Amino acid sequence: MDTFALVVVIGVALFFTYTNGFHDSANAIATSISTRALTPKAALVMAAVMNLAGAFLGNGIAKTVSEGLIATPTGSTGMMILFAALAGAITWNMITWYFGLPSSSSHALFGGMVGAALAGSSTVYWSGVLEKVVIPMFLSPLVGLLVGYLVMTAILWMFRNANPHKAQRNFRIAQTVSAAGMALGHGLQDAQKTMGIVVMALVIAGVEEEGDAIPVWVKIACAVMLSLGTYAGGWRIMRTLGRRIIALDPPQGFAAETTAASVMYTTAYMFHAPISTTHVITSAIMGVGATRRVKAVRWGVAKNIIAGWFITMPAAATVAAVSFWVVNLAFG
């Protein structure tokens, strides 16, 4: 039964990674597609490959997820907590994907972990949740908004005398690089979050000891599933990010992607903070768009997106708690 539970939890974790991939593929490539810097197929292939590569660039975020948010639960209850956490995250991912809202898969997962842990009477490290999740959740979009505005302002000043058609063409080429950097950062951030869950499951099952290195097969499995999900694409969300917030041109797309990628690398390597790639790219697009004029940003759409950010963790936590009670009733 323990082995079966382990296999089920790992399978569900990998499915979550797949949904994360198609839910968040828009983060890396929506701006490049909307500005026609890349064709949809080329963008998806590039994003899938760079997501795969990014998953192998570090393990600090996986450590935060597996050890810094909730105490590693034990026994069959522990497996049920992880299963319920993933069920909450997957459910919220599918709901927001259906409505085309670029919500955070990361915060859906963290909300699911907290909700399931509370339902299962497991310890939640509230200081870790505050420092590694809640504070970055508020700070990273503000940083993305401000830095996006400043980067775009600098680009406008530097190329103020450039030939417009030539500048547009050159920025389309530059966007290939910035989109690749964005996808690499997405792999670095999001594949590690699932690695942390799988490691917790292995520790609960007694296969691994807490603090052990992440097994190579776990890295490969999470990276491949994220990459496959990315290649599947999330077209509903892509339309929201690429067109509905603001109609981007290539310089704006380059500025937004460069800003978001920079924030992701900084938080991953300096703070081991698992931030939301969705929050960062969305806020960067808003900051970049505001340089044209504040009214150029469709703030009504932005308001709906931000409202989704605030309810993601509580909603995923609630679904996870209900999932735990159902599973506990059936198998506990």
Side-chain angles (χ1 to χ4, degrees):
M1 183 64 185
D2 288 345
T3 303
F4 175 73
L6 176 63
V7 170
V8 168
V9 168
I10 291 175
V12 175
L14 293 178
F15 179 67
F16 166 75
T17 309
Y18 181 83
T19 68
N20 188 347
F22 78 70
H23 190 277
D24 289 2
S25 58
N27 297 343
I29 58 178
T31 50
S32 297
I33 292 173
S34 70
T35 61
R36 296 183 175 83
L38 293 168
T39 64
K41 189 172 181 61
L44 283 169
V45 171
M46 179 276 295
V49 171
M50 298 307 284
N51 265 314
L52 187 66
F56 294 93
L57 293 182
N59 57 21
I61 289 170
K63 189 175 177 65
T64 295
V65 172
S66 63
E67 300 175 17
L69 304 180
I70 65 173
T72 303
T74 56
S76 59
T77 301
M79 287 299 187
M80 286 190 282
I81 287 173
L82 291 188
F83 176 86
L86 291 162
I90 290 169
T91 301
W92 188 247
N93 268 0
M94 299 308 290
I95 290 170
T96 51
W97 167 81
Y98 180 80
F99 288 105
L101 281 177
S103 70
S104 169
S105 296
S106 306
H107 291 137
L109 177 61
F110 303 146
M113 289 173 70
V114 171
L118 291 174
S121 301
S122 187
T123 302
V124 175
Y125 298 139
W126 291 110
S127 61
V129 172
L130 179 66
E131 291 171 14
K132 298 294 186 180
V133 179
V134 177
I135 292 175
M137 180 172 76
F138 286 101
L139 281 184
S140 58
L142 292 175
V143 171
L145 188 75
L146 178 62
V147 175
Y149 182 87
L150 294 175
V151 169
M152 191 62 216
T153 301
I155 287 173
L156 289 170
W157 185 81
M158 290 167 63
F159 292 90
R160 62 192 185 281
N161 297 321
N163 179 290
H165 296 295
K166 187 177 180 181
Q168 293 276 342
R169 188 169 63 249
N170 289 339
F171 272 107
R172 276 202 178 90
I173 297 168
Q175 259 201 282
T176 307
V177 178
S178 61
M182 182 74 199
L184 193 71
H186 182 248
L188 169 66
Q189 279 276 348
D190 283 28
Q192 285 191 53
K193 292 159 190 170
T194 309
M195 289 178 204
I197 295 291
V198 174
V199 166
M200 287 181 81
L202 294 173
V203 170
I204 292 169
V207 178
E208 292 275 317
E209 294 292 326
E210 200 159 341
D212 283 355
I214 301 170
V216 174
W217 70 265
V218 173
K219 290 188 176 185
I220 292 172
C222 292
V224 168
M225 290 304 290
L226 184 70
S227 187
L228 288 174
T230 298
Y231 187 69
W235 298 105
R236 290 172 184 266
I237 294 170
M238 226 171 276
R239 281 193 291 272
T240 300
L241 276 181
R243 286 290 174 193
R244 288 181 61 206
I245 296 173
I246 185 170
L248 295 168
D249 60 25
Q252 290 175 322
F254 173 80
E257 289 166 348
T258 302
T259 297
S262 302
V263 173
M264 284 193 290
Y265 295 134
T266 302
T267 51
Y269 286 119
M270 290 185 66
F271 306 110
H272 297 165
I275 65 161
S276 167
T277 54
T278 308
H279 289 192
V280 175
I281 186 62
T282 307
S283 59
I285 289 172
M286 292 176 192
V288 163
T291 59
R292 187 182 295 172
R293 65 181 192 280
V294 174
K295 288 184 178 178
V297 179
R298 298 186 182 103
W299 295 107
V301 175
K303 183 180 70 175
N304 292 339
I305 292 169
I306 292 168
W309 294 355
F310 278 100
I311 64 172
T312 289
M313 284 188 69
T318 302
V319 175
V322 171
S323 299
F324 176 83
W325 291 323
V326 170
V327 174
N328 192 40
L329 198 64
F331 301 103

Coordinates of all heavy atoms in Angstrom, one line a residue, residues 20 24-25 27-28 102-107 140 182 185-190 193 241 260 264 274-283 309:
N20 N 1.2 22.7 -15.2 CA 2.0 23.9 -14.9 C 2.6 24.3 -16.3 O 2.6 25.5 -16.6 CB 3.1 23.6 -13.9 CG 3.8 24.8 -13.4 OD1 3.8 25.8 -14.1 ND2 4.6 24.6 -12.4
D24 N 1.4 27.7 -17.9 CA 2.4 28.8 -17.8 C 3.3 29.0 -19.1 O 4.1 29.9 -19.1 CB 3.4 28.6 -16.6 CG 2.6 28.8 -15.3 OD1 1.4 29.1 -15.4 OD2 3.3 28.7 -14.3
S25 N 3.0 28.2 -20.1 CA 3.8 28.4 -21.4 C 3.6 29.8 -21.9 O 4.5 30.4 -22.5 CB 3.4 27.4 -22.4 OG 2.0 27.5 -22.7
N27 N 3.6 32.5 -20.3 CA 4.6 33.4 -19.6 C 5.8 33.6 -20.5 O 6.3 34.8 -20.6 CB 5.1 32.8 -18.3 CG 3.9 32.6 -17.3 OD1 2.9 33.2 -17.5 ND2 4.2 31.9 -16.3
A28 N 6.3 32.6 -21.1 CA 7.6 32.7 -21.8 C 7.4 33.2 -23.2 O 8.3 33.9 -23.8 CB 8.3 31.3 -21.8
P102 N -4.3 34.3 -16.2 CA -2.9 33.9 -15.9 C -2.6 33.9 -14.4 O -1.9 34.8 -13.9 CB -2.1 34.9 -16.7 CG -2.9 36.1 -16.8 CD -4.3 35.6 -16.9
S103 N -3.1 33.0 -13.7 CA -2.9 32.9 -12.3 C -1.6 32.1 -12.1 O -1.0 31.6 -13.0 CB -4.0 32.2 -11.6 OG -4.0 30.8 -11.9
S104 N -1.2 32.0 -10.8 CA 0.1 31.4 -10.5 C 0.0 29.9 -10.1 O -0.7 29.6 -9.2 CB 0.7 32.1 -9.3 OG 1.8 31.4 -8.8
S105 N 0.6 29.0 -10.9 CA 0.6 27.6 -10.6 C 1.4 27.4 -9.3 O 1.1 26.5 -8.5 CB 1.3 26.8 -11.7 OG 0.6 26.9 -12.9
S106 N 2.4 28.2 -9.1 CA 3.2 28.1 -7.9 C 2.4 28.4 -6.7 O 2.4 27.6 -5.7 CB 4.4 29.1 -8.0 OG 5.1 29.0 -9.1
H107 N 1.6 29.5 -6.7 CA 0.9 29.8 -5.5 C -0.3 28.8 -5.3 O -0.8 28.6 -4.2 CB 0.4 31.2 -5.5 CG 1.5 32.2 -5.4 ND1 1.7 33.3 -6.2 CD2 2.6 32.2 -4.6 CE1 2.8 34.0 -5.8 NE2 3.4 33.3 -4.9
S140 N 7.5 40.9 -5.8 CA 7.9 40.6 -7.2 C 7.1 41.3 -8.3 O 7.7 41.8 -9.2 CB 8.0 39.1 -7.4 OG 6.8 38.5 -7.2
M182 N 13.6 33.9 -20.7 CA 12.3 33.8 -19.9 C 12.0 32.3 -19.7 O 11.6 31.9 -18.6 CB 11.2 34.5 -20.6 CG 9.9 34.6 -20.0 SD 9.9 35.7 -18.6 CE 8.4 35.0 -17.7
G185 N 14.3 30.6 -17.3 CA 14.0 31.0 -15.9 C 12.8 30.3 -15.4 O 12.7 29.9 -14.2
H186 N 11.8 30.1 -16.3 CA 10.6 29.3 -15.9 C 10.9 27.9 -15.6 O 10.4 27.4 -14.6 CB 9.6 29.3 -17.1 CG 8.3 28.6 -16.8 ND1 7.9 27.5 -17.4 CD2 7.3 28.9 -15.9 CE1 6.8 27.1 -16.9 NE2 6.4 28.0 -16.0
G187 N 11.8 27.3 -16.3 CA 12.3 25.9 -16.0 C 13.0 25.9 -14.7 O 12.8 25.0 -13.8
L188 N 13.9 26.9 -14.4 CA 14.6 27.0 -13.2 C 13.7 27.1 -12.0 O 13.9 26.5 -11.0 CB 15.5 28.2 -13.3 CG 16.2 28.7 -12.0 CD1 17.2 27.6 -11.5 CD2 16.9 30.0 -12.2
Q189 N 12.6 27.9 -12.1 CA 11.7 28.1 -11.0 C 10.7 27.0 -10.9 O 10.6 26.4 -9.8 CB 10.9 29.4 -11.3 CG 11.7 30.7 -10.9 CD 11.6 31.0 -9.4 OE1 10.8 30.5 -8.7 NE2 12.4 32.0 -9.0
D190 N 10.0 26.7 -11.9 CA 8.8 25.8 -11.7 C 9.1 24.3 -11.7 O 8.3 23.6 -11.0 CB 7.8 26.2 -12.8 CG 7.1 27.5 -12.5 OD1 7.7 28.3 -11.8 OD2 5.9 27.6 -12.9
K193 N 9.9 23.2 -8.1 CA 8.8 23.2 -7.2 C 8.2 21.8 -7.1 O 7.9 21.3 -6.0 CB 7.7 24.2 -7.5 CG 8.2 25.6 -7.4 CD 7.4 26.7 -8.2 CE 8.1 28.0 -8.1 NZ 7.6 29.0 -9.1
L241 N -2.3 37.4 -22.1 CA -1.1 38.0 -21.9 C -0.6 38.8 -23.1 O 0.0 39.9 -23.0 CB 0.0 37.0 -21.5 CG 0.1 36.6 -20.0 CD1 1.2 35.5 -19.8 CD2 0.3 37.7 -19.1
A260 N 11.3 40.3 -16.6 CA 10.8 39.1 -15.9 C 11.9 38.1 -15.7 O 12.0 37.5 -14.6 CB 9.7 38.5 -16.7
M264 N 13.4 36.6 -12.1 CA 13.4 35.2 -11.8 C 14.7 34.6 -11.4 O 14.9 33.9 -10.4 CB 12.8 34.4 -12.9 CG 11.3 34.5 -13.1 SD 10.6 33.3 -14.2 CE 11.2 34.0 -15.8
P274 N 10.7 30.9 -4.3 CA 9.9 30.3 -5.4 C 8.8 31.3 -5.8 O 7.7 31.2 -5.4 CB 9.3 29.0 -4.8 CG 9.2 29.3 -3.4 CD 10.3 30.2 -3.0
I275 N 9.2 32.3 -6.6 CA 8.2 33.3 -7.0 C 7.3 32.8 -8.2 O 7.6 31.8 -8.8 CB 8.9 34.6 -7.4 CG1 9.8 34.4 -8.7 CG2 9.7 35.2 -6.3 CD1 10.1 35.7 -9.4
S276 N 6.3 33.6 -8.5 CA 5.4 33.3 -9.6 C 5.9 33.9 -10.9 O 6.0 35.1 -11.0 CB 4.0 33.8 -9.3 OG 3.2 33.7 -10.4
T277 N 6.2 33.1 -11.8 CA 6.6 33.6 -13.2 C 5.5 34.4 -13.8 O 5.7 35.3 -14.5 CB 7.1 32.5 -14.1 OG1 6.0 31.5 -14.2 CG2 8.3 31.8 -13.6
T278 N 4.2 33.9 -13.5 CA 3.0 34.6 -14.0 C 2.9 36.0 -13.5 O 2.7 37.0 -14.3 CB 1.8 33.8 -13.7 OG1 1.9 32.5 -14.0 CG2 0.6 34.4 -14.3
H279 N 3.1 36.2 -12.2 CA 3.0 37.5 -11.6 C 4.0 38.5 -12.2 O 3.8 39.6 -12.5 CB 3.2 37.5 -10.1 CG 2.1 36.8 -9.4 ND1 2.0 36.9 -8.0 CD2 1.0 36.1 -9.8 CE1 0.9 36.2 -7.6 NE2 0.3 35.7 -8.7
V280 N 5.3 38.0 -12.4 CA 6.4 38.8 -12.8 C 6.2 39.3 -14.3 O 6.4 40.4 -14.6 CB 7.7 38.1 -12.6 CG1 8.9 38.9 -13.2 CG2 8.0 37.8 -11.2
I281 N 5.9 38.3 -15.2 CA 5.8 38.7 -16.6 C 4.5 39.6 -16.8 O 4.6 40.6 -17.5 CB 5.7 37.5 -17.5 CG1 5.7 37.9 -19.0 CG2 4.5 36.6 -17.3 CD1 6.9 38.7 -19.4
T282 N 3.4 39.3 -16.1 CA 2.2 40.1 -16.2 C 2.5 41.6 -15.7 O 2.1 42.5 -16.4 CB 1.1 39.5 -15.4 OG1 0.9 38.2 -15.8 CG2 -0.2 40.3 -15.7
S283 N 3.1 41.7 -14.6 CA 3.4 43.0 -14.0 C 4.4 43.8 -14.9 O 4.3 45.0 -15.1 CB 3.9 43.0 -12.6 OG 5.0 42.2 -12.5
W309 N -4.9 36.6 -8.5 CA -3.7 36.4 -7.7 C -4.1 36.2 -6.2 O -3.6 35.4 -5.5 CB -2.7 37.5 -7.9 CG -2.2 37.6 -9.3 CD1 -2.4 36.8 -10.3 CD2 -1.3 38.6 -9.7 NE1 -1.7 37.2 -11.4 CE2 -1.0 38.4 -11.1 CE3 -0.7 39.8 -9.1 CZ2 -0.2 39.2 -11.9 CZ3 0.1 40.6 -9.9 CH2 0.4 40.3 -11.3

